[in-house]
Amino acid sequence: MSRHIAIFTDDPGWHGKELHKAFNARGYRCTNVSLTDCYFRTDPGTTCLVIPGFEGTLPDGVFVRGVPGGTLEEVVFYLDVLHALRELNVFVYNDARAIERSVDKGMTSFLLNQAGLATPPTWVGNHVHQAYTFIRQQQDRGCKIVIKPLFGSQGKGLQLITGPRDMTDFTLYNRVYYLQRYIETGINDAHDWRLFVIGGQVVAAMKRQSDHWITNVSAGGRCYPAALDDAFVEIACAAVRAVRMQYGGVDVLSDREGKLWVTEVNSIPAWRGLQRVSGVIFAEQLVANFLDCLQEYPGVEQAI
């Protein structure tokens, strides 16, 4: 019988089809599962963690393509399922700890800073007066500020603060405020780079460019293939190591002086746009690395 992989996702779409095709080509079968449908049960004689499609057993490995949003209790429960799988010696790619470190932008910034990587000056907290103090300090230095949702993606909920009239309604951010210095690139068109790291290596990169200051493809950014020098590769790989992921998408900016800054590390990155401009078949690369990690996975006592 072929080994059976769970892909956690609520919207398989194109990415899910690509992963199924790559796993099937390696002799593995896959089942798409929503974390919302999993549950714990501790009755005697029953499986303690029930995953639809795997009743009475557990997956041979888990590929996480999405963690649903929801209330604090719901999100904690979904992550509990991923944590429990690790406790049961099931390999999870990327695991709950990596997702927790990256989905929380404040923790990502903390870990990047602790690793000595250049990341924009950031303030995270829940006191509005302290938030305004940080904003004024940055403005006194002639800097703009970006406010972002602590949990968010695809450029949604971002605001650029350039002066007192831009002071935002902080209640939009659930009383935890993530403020970050805006890095000026010295070029009229906003641009940054997305690097895709798998197994400690950059497998592809693209430049994202936009007439607007937000460069995310979902917000209208344009993608171009990019050949990067060693400095880009080194900082991207170091960022993924700092957040302790098997794979990740890293966003990098270059300022007026050419200094590189890591602005985000994504543990569940999409790759359709990058595949289109690079020609790399990401599902094949991801599945190959997944299976290498699965073969070497030591179990809960020694797992990273």
Side-chain angles (χ1 to χ4, degrees):
M1 181 181 295
S2 63
R3 301 187 76 177
H4 195 180
I5 305 299
I7 299 177
F8 281 131
T9 178
D10 286 280
D11 181 19
W14 179 86
H15 291 85
K17 290 178 182 177
E18 289 285 291
L19 287 173
H20 275 259
K21 183 167 64 175
F23 273 116
N24 294 161
R26 296 286 194 119
Y28 286 73
R29 60 193 179 105
C30 305
T31 296
N32 295 328
V33 182
S34 171
L35 282 164
T36 64
D37 294 328
C38 301
Y39 60 90
F40 295 102
R41 183 170 180 174
T42 59
D43 294 347
T46 64
T47 303
C48 60
L49 175 60
V50 179
I51 300 175
F54 298 85
E55 287 79 1
T57 186
L58 290 169
D60 292 298
V62 169
F63 194 114
V64 182
R65 267 302 306 156
V67 176
T71 65
L72 174 61
E73 291 83 357
E74 286 173 322
V75 173
V76 168
F77 167 70
Y78 303 146
L79 292 170
D80 282 346
V81 172
L82 300 182
H83 281 299
L85 284 161
R86 178 174 177 268
E87 294 295 325
L88 293 167
N89 292 343
V90 177
F91 174 62
V92 181
Y93 185 90
N94 281 306
D95 70 13
R97 294 163 303 163
I99 293 169
E100 287 168 343
R101 294 180 194 115
S102 62
V103 74
D104 176 347
K105 291 184 176 64
M107 180 53 66
T108 303
S109 293
F110 169 79
L111 291 170
L112 292 172
N113 180 262
Q114 288 296 104
L117 298 175
T119 191
T122 299
W123 184 91
V124 186
N126 62 359
H127 290 282
V128 173
H129 294 300
Q130 293 177 8
Y132 277 119
T133 297
F134 176 83
I135 290 170
R136 292 191 178 95
Q137 288 173 343
Q138 295 299 312
Q139 290 178 337
D140 288 345
R141 296 182 173 94
C143 301
K144 303 173 186 177
I145 303 93
V146 180
I147 182 168
K148 306 178 183 181
L150 193 65
F151 306 136
S153 62
Q154 299 183 329
K156 296 177 182 176
L158 275 62
Q159 295 186 52
L160 184 64
I161 300 173
T162 61
R165 287 177 296 180
D166 295 329
M167 296 298 192
T168 187
D169 178 3
F170 286 115
T171 60
L172 297 173
Y173 298 94
N174 295 319
R175 299 184 181 179
V176 178
Y177 317 120
Y178 180 94
L179 304 169
Q180 191 171 71
R181 181 187 295 173
Y182 179 74
I183 302 299
E184 298 281 0
T185 63
I187 299 175
N188 290 332
D189 287 343
H191 67 279
D192 66 357
W193 286 264
R194 161 59 65 91
L195 293 87
F196 209 103
V197 179
I198 303 175
Q201 296 184 332
V202 173
V203 298
M206 66 180 175
K207 184 177 182 179
R208 301 185 300 191
Q209 196 164 343
S210 175
D211 298 330
H212 188 263
W213 66 276
I214 298 174
T215 60
N216 297 73
V217 176
S218 58
R222 302 179 296 276
C223 304
Y224 304 96
L228 303 177
D229 61 26
D230 291 344
F232 276 92
V233 172
E234 289 171 8
I235 198 170
C237 291
V240 168
R241 286 196 303 270
V243 189
R244 284 170 278 178
M245 302 173 179
Q246 279 98 4
Y247 76 101
V250 183
D251 295 343
V252 179
L253 279 168
S254 177
D255 67 15
R256 295 176 187 271
E257 288 74 40
K259 179 178 179 178
L260 302 183
W261 301 82
V262 178
T263 58
E264 189 163 344
V265 186
N266 191 330
S267 62
I268 311 178
W271 63 81
R272 190 169 190 174
L274 184 50
Q275 180 163 309
R276 185 172 63 248
V277 300
S278 69
V280 174
I281 307 301
F282 282 89
E284 293 179 0
Q285 299 257 5
L286 287 163
V287 166
N289 182 244
F290 176 101
L291 296 178
D292 286 345
C293 294
L294 179 62
Q295 185 175 11
E296 298 173 1
Y297 186 62
V300 65
E301 294 300 328
Q302 302 173 22
I304 60 172

